[in-house]
Amino acid sequence: MSFIAIIPARLKSTRLPNKPLADIAGKPMVVRVIEQALKSDAEMVVVATDDMAVQDAVVAADYACMLTRADHPSGTDRLAEMVDRMALSDDAIVVNVQGDEPLIDPALINAVAAQLVANPALAMATASHSIDNAEDFFNPNVVKVVCNAAAEAMYFSRAPIPWDRDSFADDNSDEDWVLPAELDAQRHIGIYAYRAGFLRAYAQLAASKLEDIEMLEQLRVLWHGYKIGVYRAAQAPAAGVDTPEDLARVRAVFAQA
């Protein structure tokens, strides 16, 4: 299996300023992410950033980094620039590893890439895991995905889907609801693999109304008729770093290693 891992990293974060450079056991967070990605089967790991400070930190650790434009509206658009800058062939597979996940499982990176290797009809792949409690199911910050029989995404939503009409027919508060075992609700995991050719096409796709309503970028892909494969992970991945509290938790994990 051949694929490239690209790590988009931006300094601008409202909840945790200078996040990629946050120290974790003596190394910047972005370097910790690189180290995890290098444990996967990726033939190359490269950081894509629009900030010289991030590039300096990555290069100082002797890893690969490329400066991109600063005006990209999303990480996917940044990857689209990268595939052109790197002159990747259209059938090359690129995995987007988030720059704020220093505990990401290398096996998850491999599994998402493998979806594209196994199914040439897929333009893109991602992952999910089972939701086993009502609090997460009804939480709009937890993105849900519903798949077809071929493990391809039918829809992503912040709403509780699929909706069990009979089980949820009463008027009780959602705090009292217990998820039916047969519901098989799936939480979306924010890791993506793409074919380089699709990334080039994505940069030209118009945003969809559903994407704007749900604030979910992947709905643009479904809106335009592309297929997204979904790998079902056995368990939830380690959480990323969005807040100072998250950073403290990750630092504690590395301190115990």
Side-chain angles (χ1 to χ4, degrees):
M1 179 171 64
S2 176
F3 68 91
I4 293 169
I6 298 180
I7 305 171
R10 298 176 68 246
L11 277 185
K12 296 177 181 178
S13 171
T14 55
R15 289 184 288 181
L16 188 59
N18 298 324
K19 183 164 60 171
L21 301 180
D23 181 84
I24 298 178
K27 297 180 181 180
M29 178 160 56
V30 66
V31 171
R32 292 295 185 184
V33 177
I34 296 168
E35 291 174 342
Q36 284 300 100
L38 285 169
K39 296 175 185 177
S40 74
D41 293 335
E43 62 184 82
M44 180 189 301
V45 177
V46 57
V47 173
T49 185
D50 59 5
D51 195 285
M52 284 293 298
V54 174
Q55 183 185 50
D56 290 346
V58 173
V59 172
D62 203 24
Y63 295 123
C65 184
M66 293 181 68
L67 279 175
T68 64
R69 302 198 319 267
D71 59 349
H72 290 302
S74 70
T76 309
D77 293 286
R78 194 175 307 279
L79 263 64
E81 178 186 348
M82 288 290 290
V83 299
D84 283 339
R85 294 270 302 280
M86 298 173 71
L88 299 181
S89 64
D90 281 349
D91 59 354
I93 294 173
V94 174
V95 178
N96 180 350
V97 178
Q98 299 294 334
D100 57 4
E101 296 193 17
L103 297 175
I104 190 168
D105 185 355
L108 180 61
I109 299 173
N110 291 340
V112 174
Q115 296 290 299
L116 297 188
V117 174
N119 188 347
L122 299 176
M124 179 175 159
T126 187
S128 71
H129 70 86
S130 295
I131 297 175
D132 57 10
N133 65 82
E135 181 180 0
D136 284 346
F137 186 63
F138 290 101
N139 184 348
N141 294 317
V142 174
V143 177
K144 276 71 66 173
V145 59
V146 173
C147 298
N148 62 18
E152 298 166 353
M154 298 171 64
Y155 193 66
F156 297 85
S157 183
R158 298 182 183 278
I161 58 172
W163 183 261
D164 190 322
R165 186 195 65 175
D166 293 337
S167 295
F168 299 149
D170 57 40
D171 294 328
N172 291 338
S173 165
D174 57 18
E175 295 179 358
D176 299 325
W177 284 336
V178 175
L179 298 186
E182 63 275 11
L183 185 67
D184 192 28
Q186 292 287 308
R187 177 177 187 163
H188 177 232
I189 299 172
I191 182 171
Y192 301 98
Y194 309 87
R195 299 191 194 282
F198 170 72
L199 281 170
R200 293 185 172 101
Y202 178 90
Q204 307 303 319
L205 295 179
S208 72
K209 184 176 296 185
L210 288 175
E211 172 189 0
D212 293 338
I213 291 171
E214 294 257 22
M215 295 303 293
L216 296 175
E217 180 184 335
Q218 61 270 37
L219 290 177
R220 183 186 311 184
V221 180
L222 298 181
W223 177 267
H224 288 280
Y226 291 94
K227 293 184 177 182
I228 303 176
V230 182
Y231 167 74
R232 295 181 64 150
Q235 60 188 14
V241 176
D242 289 320
T243 66
E245 292 76 18
D246 293 336
L247 180 59
R249 172 184 49 77
V250 169
R251 282 171 169 166
V253 171
F254 277 87
Q256 296 170 1

